[in-house]
């Protein structure tokens, strides 16, 4: 009985060790961000992961910011700049510490049914800033009409175009007559921006 008990304990230790070897990489989202069907903003969003969501990280594409995750029941792709992990007792951004954390490399092959519809931002393109709290607004229809009749050139930025995201300083805004917010077009999506905080307050679908 003692021998049998020792064998069972040894088996339990081996199973536990195997479990540790396959431990999941757990990250946290630092922004509200879209989880996309492929590694690029041109791929459709499968859902929205809210700030502070726990994400299981499969790995990231080599030479790219895009990583594959499981988050809130969704499986898809997000930016490594918007994920943080514990490293040495500190929360660090995944993109900035991929080598130290040991993030696995994954690949992605597009299919004929998922063809990029628009150019995606290059790896060096500027990112939209972190998300902050903003007041929810419902713009009047006259604002949409003004935007449609006064188009502006689109600005290409990395990251997700979401309410609360901060727009980089070098992006210019267009004034809307008799309206406190400004507008610009980011990745072909018209957005309204608070000129004081430079945060997006509304995204037109």
């Amino acid at each position: 009985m003692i021998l049998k008990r020792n064998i069972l304990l040894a088996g339990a230790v081996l199973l536990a060790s195997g479990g540790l070897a396959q431990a999941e990489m757990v990250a946290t989202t630092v922004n509200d961000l879209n989880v996309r069907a492929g590694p690029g903003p041109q791929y459709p969003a499968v859902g929205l992961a809210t700030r502070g969501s726990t994400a299981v990280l499969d790995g990231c594409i080599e030479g790219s910011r895009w990583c594959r995750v499981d988050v809130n029941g969704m499986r898809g792709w997000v930016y490594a700049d918007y994920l943080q992990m514990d490293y040495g007792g500190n929360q660090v951004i995944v993109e900035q510490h991929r080598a130290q954390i040991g993030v696995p490399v994954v690949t992605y092959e597009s299919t004929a049914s998922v063809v990029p519809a628009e150019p995606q931002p290059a790896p060096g393109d500027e990112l939209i800033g972190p998300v902050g709290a903003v007041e929810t607004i419902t713009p009047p229809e006259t604002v949409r009409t003004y935007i449609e009749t006064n188009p502006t050139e689109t600005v290409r930025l990395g990251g997700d175009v979401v309410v609360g995201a901060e727009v980089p300083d070098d992006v210019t805004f267009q004034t809307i007559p008799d309206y406190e917010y400004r507008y610009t077009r980011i990745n072909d999506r018209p957005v309204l921006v608070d000129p004081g905080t430079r945060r997006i307050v509304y995204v037109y679908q």
Side-chain angles (χ1 to χ4, degrees):
M1 287 294 293
I2 293 174
L3 179 60
K4 184 178 179 181
R5 183 170 174 268
N6 287 341
I7 291 171
L8 288 173
L9 286 173
V13 170
L14 287 172
L15 287 173
S17 299
L20 288 173
Q22 299 298 321
E24 295 176 332
M25 301 195 78
V26 178
T28 304
T29 59
V30 297
N31 287 348
D32 290 347
L33 71 161
N34 287 314
V35 180
R36 298 194 176 274
Q42 72 274 17
Y43 292 93
V46 298
L48 180 73
T50 54
R51 183 177 184 177
S53 296
T54 299
V56 176
L57 177 62
D58 292 340
C60 303
I61 296 176
E62 189 170 6
S64 167
R65 292 191 179 107
W66 289 94
C67 302
R68 190 173 62 208
V69 298
D70 278 293
V71 55
N72 297 345
M74 299 173 290
R75 184 173 176 81
W77 298 82
V78 298
Y79 258 125
D81 301 79
Y82 296 154
L83 297 173
Q84 64 182 11
M85 293 180 66
D86 180 81
Y87 179 68
N90 297 313
Q91 290 295 315
V92 297
I93 300 299
V94 169
E95 173 61 21
Q96 298 169 5
H97 297 81
R98 285 166 65 166
Q100 297 96 316
I101 297 170
V103 177
V105 173
V106 294
T107 58
Y108 180 84
E109 292 183 8
S110 61
T111 63
S113 61
V114 185
V115 178
E118 62 184 51
Q120 75 181 80
D125 280 357
E126 193 168 9
L127 278 174
I128 296 173
V131 172
V134 296
E135 183 179 352
T136 303
I137 71 163
T138 303
E141 191 60 31
T142 53
V143 172
R144 177 188 284 274
T145 302
Y146 181 83
I147 290 174
E148 290 175 349
T149 55
N150 294 272
T152 186
E153 289 187 8
T154 194
V155 178
R156 297 287 176 191
L157 296 175
D160 283 311
V161 183
V162 294
V163 171
E166 186 177 350
V167 180
D169 291 338
D170 57 353
V171 176
T172 57
F173 307 140
Q174 188 158 328
T175 302
I176 301 171
D178 302 318
Y179 197 57
E180 60 182 305
Y181 300 113
R182 306 291 185 264
Y183 99 88
T184 188
R185 185 178 292 269
I186 300 175
N187 300 344
D188 289 328
R189 300 182 68 181
V191 300
L192 299 179
V193 183
D194 183 332
T197 63
R198 301 190 68 83
R199 294 196 182 277
I200 297 172
V201 296
Y202 193 85
V203 180
Y204 285 97
Q205 302 300 325

